[in-house]
mmCIF file of all heavy atoms in Angstrom:
data_model
loop_
_atom_site.group_PDB
_atom_site.id
_atom_site.type_symbol
_atom_site.label_atom_id
_atom_site.label_comp_id
_atom_site.label_asym_id
_atom_site.label_seq_id
_atom_site.Cartn_x
_atom_site.Cartn_y
_atom_site.Cartn_z
ATOM 1 N N ALA A 1072 2.762 -35.901 -2.801
ATOM 2 C CA ALA A 1072 3.008 -37.352 -2.697
ATOM 3 C C ALA A 1072 1.802 -38.148 -3.197
ATOM 4 O O ALA A 1072 1.965 -39.195 -3.822
ATOM 5 C CB ALA A 1072 3.322 -37.727 -1.253
ATOM 6 N N GLU A 1073 0.607 -37.650 -2.943
ATOM 7 C CA GLU A 1073 -0.607 -38.368 -3.327
ATOM 8 C C GLU A 1073 -0.819 -38.419 -4.837
ATOM 9 O O GLU A 1073 -1.305 -39.413 -5.355
ATOM 10 C CB GLU A 1073 -1.833 -37.729 -2.651
ATOM 11 C CG GLU A 1073 -1.858 -37.939 -1.151
ATOM 12 C CD GLU A 1073 -2.878 -37.063 -0.432
ATOM 13 O OE1 GLU A 1073 -3.559 -36.226 -1.088
ATOM 14 O OE2 GLU A 1073 -2.990 -37.201 0.790
ATOM 15 N N VAL A 1074 -0.460 -37.358 -5.554
ATOM 16 C CA VAL A 1074 -0.709 -37.324 -6.991
ATOM 17 C C VAL A 1074 0.409 -37.940 -7.826
ATOM 18 O O VAL A 1074 0.222 -38.197 -9.017
ATOM 19 C CB VAL A 1074 -0.988 -35.888 -7.511
ATOM 20 C CG1 VAL A 1074 -2.201 -35.292 -6.836
ATOM 21 C CG2 VAL A 1074 0.226 -35.008 -7.384
ATOM 22 N N CYS A 1075 1.537 -38.194 -7.216
ATOM 23 C CA CYS A 1075 2.693 -38.697 -7.965
ATOM 24 C C CYS A 1075 2.459 -40.126 -8.454
ATOM 25 O O CYS A 1075 2.166 -41.021 -7.657
ATOM 26 C CB CYS A 1075 3.949 -38.650 -7.101
ATOM 27 S SG CYS A 1075 5.425 -39.145 -8.005
ATOM 28 N N PRO A 1076 2.604 -40.351 -9.766
ATOM 29 C CA PRO A 1076 2.396 -41.701 -10.299
ATOM 30 C C PRO A 1076 3.615 -42.622 -10.120
ATOM 31 O O PRO A 1076 3.520 -43.813 -10.366
ATOM 32 C CB PRO A 1076 2.126 -41.452 -11.784
ATOM 33 C CG PRO A 1076 2.875 -40.192 -12.088
ATOM 34 C CD PRO A 1076 2.804 -39.370 -10.827
ATOM 35 N N GLU A 1077 4.723 -42.066 -9.691
ATOM 36 C CA GLU A 1077 5.965 -42.841 -9.534
ATOM 37 C C GLU A 1077 6.208 -43.146 -8.057
ATOM 38 O O GLU A 1077 5.716 -42.437 -7.182
ATOM 39 C CB GLU A 1077 7.152 -42.052 -10.100
ATOM 40 C CG GLU A 1077 6.974 -41.573 -11.530
ATOM 41 C CD GLU A 1077 6.808 -42.693 -12.538
ATOM 42 O OE1 GLU A 1077 7.253 -43.829 -12.269
ATOM 43 O OE2 GLU A 1077 6.223 -42.438 -13.596
ATOM 44 N N PRO A 1078 7.004 -44.173 -7.754
ATOM 45 C CA PRO A 1078 7.317 -44.497 -6.353
ATOM 46 C C PRO A 1078 8.437 -43.609 -5.800
ATOM 47 O O PRO A 1078 9.501 -44.075 -5.406
ATOM 48 C CB PRO A 1078 7.752 -45.963 -6.435
ATOM 49 C CG PRO A 1078 8.353 -46.093 -7.794
ATOM 50 C CD PRO A 1078 7.540 -45.176 -8.680
ATOM 51 N N LEU A 1079 8.182 -42.306 -5.770
ATOM 52 C CA LEU A 1079 9.179 -41.317 -5.352
ATOM 53 C C LEU A 1079 9.147 -40.969 -3.877
ATOM 54 O O LEU A 1079 10.077 -40.361 -3.372
ATOM 55 C CB LEU A 1079 8.969 -40.009 -6.129
ATOM 56 C CG LEU A 1079 9.421 -39.985 -7.556
ATOM 57 C CD1 LEU A 1079 8.996 -38.699 -8.223
ATOM 58 C CD2 LEU A 1079 10.918 -40.133 -7.620
ATOM 59 N N PHE A 1080 8.079 -41.320 -3.208
ATOM 60 C CA PHE A 1080 7.879 -40.823 -1.853
ATOM 61 C C PHE A 1080 7.921 -41.945 -0.825
ATOM 62 O O PHE A 1080 7.463 -43.054 -1.081
ATOM 63 C CB PHE A 1080 6.551 -40.061 -1.770
ATOM 64 C CG PHE A 1080 6.558 -38.812 -2.598
ATOM 65 C CD1 PHE A 1080 6.172 -38.832 -3.931
ATOM 66 C CD2 PHE A 1080 6.991 -37.627 -2.053
ATOM 67 C CE1 PHE A 1080 6.199 -37.688 -4.706
ATOM 68 C CE2 PHE A 1080 7.023 -36.461 -2.817
ATOM 69 C CZ PHE A 1080 6.624 -36.490 -4.149
ATOM 70 N N ILE A 1081 8.460 -41.599 0.334
ATOM 71 C CA ILE A 1081 8.470 -42.532 1.458
ATOM 72 C C ILE A 1081 7.159 -42.387 2.222
ATOM 73 O O ILE A 1081 6.330 -41.546 1.871
ATOM 74 C CB ILE A 1081 9.688 -42.277 2.388
ATOM 75 C CG1 ILE A 1081 9.640 -40.854 2.974
ATOM 76 C CG2 ILE A 1081 10.999 -42.516 1.647
ATOM 77 C CD1 ILE A 1081 10.656 -40.582 4.063
ATOM 78 N N ASP A 1082 6.981 -43.144 3.260
ATOM 79 C CA ASP A 1082 5.774 -43.107 4.090
ATOM 80 C C ASP A 1082 5.529 -41.694 4.616
ATOM 81 O O ASP A 1082 6.376 -41.125 5.302
ATOM 82 C CB ASP A 1082 5.936 -44.096 5.244
ATOM 83 C CG ASP A 1082 4.762 -44.123 6.190
ATOM 84 O OD1 ASP A 1082 3.714 -43.532 5.878
ATOM 85 O OD2 ASP A 1082 4.895 -44.766 7.250
ATOM 86 N N THR A 1083 4.381 -41.125 4.308
ATOM 87 C CA THR A 1083 4.070 -39.756 4.722
ATOM 88 C C THR A 1083 3.739 -39.637 6.205
ATOM 89 O O THR A 1083 3.453 -38.541 6.682
ATOM 90 C CB THR A 1083 2.935 -39.159 3.871
ATOM 91 O OG1 THR A 1083 1.792 -40.000 3.968
ATOM 92 C CG2 THR A 1083 3.347 -38.990 2.425
ATOM 93 N N GLU A 1084 3.780 -40.729 6.924
ATOM 94 C CA GLU A 1084 3.608 -40.659 8.376
ATOM 95 C C GLU A 1084 4.948 -40.385 9.062
ATOM 96 O O GLU A 1084 4.996 -40.100 10.249
ATOM 97 C CB GLU A 1084 2.981 -41.953 8.914
ATOM 98 C CG GLU A 1084 1.580 -42.222 8.380
ATOM 99 C CD GLU A 1084 0.622 -41.053 8.583
ATOM 100 O OE1 GLU A 1084 0.549 -40.519 9.709
ATOM 101 O OE2 GLU A 1084 -0.057 -40.676 7.610
ATOM 102 N N GLN A 1085 6.041 -40.478 8.310
ATOM 103 C CA GLN A 1085 7.369 -40.169 8.838
ATOM 104 C C GLN A 1085 7.617 -38.671 8.732
ATOM 105 O O GLN A 1085 6.828 -37.932 8.137
ATOM 106 C CB GLN A 1085 8.434 -40.918 8.038
ATOM 107 C CG GLN A 1085 8.365 -42.417 8.151
ATOM 108 C CD GLN A 1085 9.466 -43.076 7.324
ATOM 109 O OE1 GLN A 1085 10.448 -42.456 6.958
ATOM 110 N NE2 GLN A 1085 9.281 -44.349 7.032
ATOM 111 N N ALA A 1086 8.748 -38.225 9.267
ATOM 112 C CA ALA A 1086 9.128 -36.821 9.131
ATOM 113 C C ALA A 1086 9.283 -36.492 7.648
ATOM 114 O O ALA A 1086 9.823 -37.296 6.889
ATOM 115 C CB ALA A 1086 10.432 -36.558 9.871
ATOM 116 N N PRO A 1087 8.818 -35.322 7.214
ATOM 117 C CA PRO A 1087 8.829 -34.996 5.786
ATOM 118 C C PRO A 1087 10.231 -34.836 5.197
ATOM 119 O O PRO A 1087 10.454 -35.116 4.040
ATOM 120 C CB PRO A 1087 8.048 -33.703 5.705
ATOM 121 C CG PRO A 1087 8.060 -33.139 7.077
ATOM 122 C CD PRO A 1087 8.190 -34.291 8.020
ATOM 123 N N TRP A 1088 11.146 -34.334 5.972
ATOM 124 C CA TRP A 1088 12.527 -34.141 5.519
ATOM 125 C C TRP A 1088 13.388 -33.724 6.683
ATOM 126 O O TRP A 1088 12.898 -33.498 7.788
ATOM 127 C CB TRP A 1088 12.635 -33.139 4.382
ATOM 128 C CG TRP A 1088 11.874 -31.839 4.568
ATOM 129 C CD1 TRP A 1088 11.658 -31.138 5.716
ATOM 130 C CD2 TRP A 1088 11.213 -31.106 3.542
ATOM 131 N NE1 TRP A 1088 10.910 -30.025 5.471
ATOM 132 C CE2 TRP A 1088 10.638 -29.971 4.142
ATOM 133 C CE3 TRP A 1088 11.085 -31.269 2.172
ATOM 134 C CZ2 TRP A 1088 9.916 -29.023 3.427
ATOM 135 C CZ3 TRP A 1088 10.372 -30.315 1.467
ATOM 136 C CH2 TRP A 1088 9.795 -29.208 2.083
ATOM 137 N N GLU A 1089 14.665 -33.593 6.443
ATOM 138 C CA GLU A 1089 15.607 -33.196 7.486
ATOM 139 C C GLU A 1089 15.998 -31.730 7.373
ATOM 140 O O GLU A 1089 17.049 -31.341 7.852
ATOM 141 C CB GLU A 1089 16.867 -34.078 7.414
ATOM 142 C CG GLU A 1089 16.623 -35.512 7.826
ATOM 143 C CD GLU A 1089 16.198 -35.638 9.292
ATOM 144 O OE1 GLU A 1089 16.814 -34.981 10.153
ATOM 145 O OE2 GLU A 1089 15.238 -36.378 9.552
ATOM 146 N N LEU A 1090 15.168 -30.921 6.734
ATOM 147 C CA LEU A 1090 15.468 -29.502 6.583
ATOM 148 C C LEU A 1090 15.296 -28.768 7.900
ATOM 149 O O LEU A 1090 14.357 -29.029 8.651
ATOM 150 C CB LEU A 1090 14.534 -28.859 5.556
ATOM 151 C CG LEU A 1090 14.661 -29.290 4.116
ATOM 152 C CD1 LEU A 1090 13.622 -28.561 3.278
ATOM 153 C CD2 LEU A 1090 16.048 -29.028 3.585
ATOM 154 N N LYS A 1091 16.188 -27.827 8.124
ATOM 155 C CA LYS A 1091 16.101 -26.952 9.285
ATOM 156 C C LYS A 1091 16.475 -25.541 8.848
ATOM 157 O O LYS A 1091 17.305 -25.344 7.964
ATOM 158 C CB LYS A 1091 17.057 -27.401 10.400
ATOM 159 C CG LYS A 1091 16.793 -28.816 10.900
ATOM 160 C CD LYS A 1091 15.440 -28.968 11.558
ATOM 161 C CE LYS A 1091 15.188 -30.416 11.963
ATOM 162 N NZ LYS A 1091 13.874 -30.631 12.497
ATOM 163 N N ALA A 1092 15.872 -24.556 9.480
ATOM 164 C CA ALA A 1092 16.159 -23.156 9.174
ATOM 165 C C ALA A 1092 17.519 -22.771 9.744
ATOM 166 O O ALA A 1092 17.873 -23.163 10.864
ATOM 167 C CB ALA A 1092 15.069 -22.260 9.754
ATOM 168 N N ILE A 1093 18.257 -21.998 8.962
ATOM 169 C CA ILE A 1093 19.567 -21.485 9.358
ATOM 170 C C ILE A 1093 19.537 -19.980 9.102
ATOM 171 O O ILE A 1093 19.142 -19.537 8.022
ATOM 172 C CB ILE A 1093 20.701 -22.116 8.518
ATOM 173 C CG1 ILE A 1093 20.641 -23.636 8.556
ATOM 174 C CG2 ILE A 1093 22.059 -21.588 8.922
ATOM 175 C CD1 ILE A 1093 20.958 -24.254 9.875
ATOM 176 N N VAL A 1094 19.991 -19.204 10.073
ATOM 177 C CA VAL A 1094 20.023 -17.753 9.921
ATOM 178 C C VAL A 1094 21.419 -17.329 9.450
ATOM 179 O O VAL A 1094 22.421 -17.688 10.059
ATOM 180 C CB VAL A 1094 19.683 -17.049 11.256
ATOM 181 C CG1 VAL A 1094 19.718 -15.532 11.082
ATOM 182 C CG2 VAL A 1094 18.329 -17.490 11.772
ATOM 183 N N GLN A 1095 21.446 -16.558 8.370
ATOM 184 C CA GLN A 1095 22.702 -16.076 7.792
ATOM 185 C C GLN A 1095 23.090 -14.736 8.412
ATOM 186 O O GLN A 1095 22.288 -14.064 9.052
ATOM 187 C CB GLN A 1095 22.535 -15.919 6.271
ATOM 188 C CG GLN A 1095 22.042 -17.157 5.569
ATOM 189 C CD GLN A 1095 22.993 -18.326 5.711
ATOM 190 O OE1 GLN A 1095 24.183 -18.201 5.475
ATOM 191 N NE2 GLN A 1095 22.454 -19.466 6.112
ATOM 192 N N GLU A 1096 24.310 -14.329 8.152
ATOM 193 C CA GLU A 1096 24.843 -13.067 8.693
ATOM 194 C C GLU A 1096 24.126 -11.833 8.150
ATOM 195 O O GLU A 1096 24.250 -10.766 8.731
ATOM 196 C CB GLU A 1096 26.347 -12.961 8.401
ATOM 197 C CG GLU A 1096 27.186 -13.928 9.205
ATOM 198 C CD GLU A 1096 27.103 -13.688 10.708
ATOM 199 O OE1 GLU A 1096 27.169 -12.516 11.158
ATOM 200 O OE2 GLU A 1096 26.978 -14.670 11.450
ATOM 201 N N SER A 1097 23.381 -11.968 7.073
ATOM 202 C CA SER A 1097 22.667 -10.816 6.518
ATOM 203 C C SER A 1097 21.410 -10.466 7.323
ATOM 204 O O SER A 1097 20.728 -9.494 7.016
ATOM 205 C CB SER A 1097 22.306 -11.064 5.056
ATOM 206 O OG SER A 1097 21.503 -12.218 4.936
ATOM 207 N N CYS A 1098 21.123 -11.226 8.364
ATOM 208 C CA CYS A 1098 19.978 -10.963 9.244
ATOM 209 C C CYS A 1098 20.087 -9.551 9.822
ATOM 210 O O CYS A 1098 21.161 -9.129 10.280
ATOM 211 C CB CYS A 1098 19.959 -12.009 10.360
ATOM 212 S SG CYS A 1098 18.712 -11.726 11.630
ATOM 213 N N LEU A 1099 18.974 -8.830 9.801
ATOM 214 C CA LEU A 1099 18.968 -7.460 10.320
ATOM 215 C C LEU A 1099 19.395 -7.382 11.785
ATOM 216 O O LEU A 1099 20.035 -6.419 12.193
ATOM 217 C CB LEU A 1099 17.583 -6.838 10.140
ATOM 218 C CG LEU A 1099 17.176 -6.509 8.712
ATOM 219 C CD1 LEU A 1099 15.735 -6.001 8.671
ATOM 220 C CD2 LEU A 1099 18.122 -5.500 8.082
ATOM 221 N N ALA A 1100 19.055 -8.383 12.569
ATOM 222 C CA ALA A 1100 19.432 -8.383 13.982
ATOM 223 C C ALA A 1100 20.948 -8.337 14.158
ATOM 224 O O ALA A 1100 21.461 -7.725 15.099
ATOM 225 C CB ALA A 1100 18.856 -9.605 14.689
ATOM 226 N N TYR A 1101 21.671 -8.963 13.255
ATOM 227 C CA TYR A 1101 23.142 -8.934 13.321
ATOM 228 C C TYR A 1101 23.704 -7.577 12.929
ATOM 229 O O TYR A 1101 24.869 -7.292 13.156
ATOM 230 C CB TYR A 1101 23.745 -10.018 12.427
ATOM 231 C CG TYR A 1101 23.438 -11.421 12.895
ATOM 232 C CD1 TYR A 1101 22.945 -12.363 12.009
ATOM 233 C CD2 TYR A 1101 23.630 -11.801 14.221
ATOM 234 C CE1 TYR A 1101 22.657 -13.653 12.427
ATOM 235 C CE2 TYR A 1101 23.344 -13.086 14.644
ATOM 236 C CZ TYR A 1101 22.860 -14.005 13.751
ATOM 237 O OH TYR A 1101 22.569 -15.280 14.164
ATOM 238 N N LYS A 1102 22.858 -6.748 12.333
ATOM 239 C CA LYS A 1102 23.266 -5.395 11.936
ATOM 240 C C LYS A 1102 22.736 -4.350 12.922
ATOM 241 O O LYS A 1102 22.789 -3.162 12.663
ATOM 242 C CB LYS A 1102 22.749 -5.096 10.537
ATOM 243 C CG LYS A 1102 23.074 -6.178 9.524
ATOM 244 C CD LYS A 1102 24.014 -5.694 8.488
ATOM 245 C CE LYS A 1102 24.244 -6.702 7.410
ATOM 246 N NZ LYS A 1102 25.234 -7.686 7.698
ATOM 247 N N GLY A 1103 22.154 -4.821 14.029
ATOM 248 C CA GLY A 1103 21.666 -3.919 15.059
ATOM 249 C C GLY A 1103 20.240 -3.452 14.861
ATOM 250 O O GLY A 1103 19.774 -2.564 15.577
ATOM 251 N N VAL A 1104 19.518 -4.017 13.909
ATOM 252 C CA VAL A 1104 18.144 -3.613 13.630
ATOM 253 C C VAL A 1104 17.186 -4.617 14.270
ATOM 254 O O VAL A 1104 17.350 -5.820 14.133
ATOM 255 C CB VAL A 1104 17.886 -3.554 12.101
ATOM 256 C CG1 VAL A 1104 16.440 -3.191 11.803
ATOM 257 C CG2 VAL A 1104 18.844 -2.573 11.452
#
Side-chain angles (χ1 to χ4, degrees):
E1073 291 167 357
V1074 300
C1075 184
E1077 307 298 336
L1079 284 173
F1080 294 89
I1081 61 171
D1082 179 11
T1083 57
E1084 297 307 311
Q1085 295 180 19
W1088 47 35
E1089 290 297 315
L1090 293 178
K1091 301 296 177 185
I1093 306 292
V1094 180
Q1095 306 298 310
E1096 290 297 316
S1097 59
C1098 174
L1099 289 175
Y1101 294 131
K1102 310 246 185 276
V1104 178

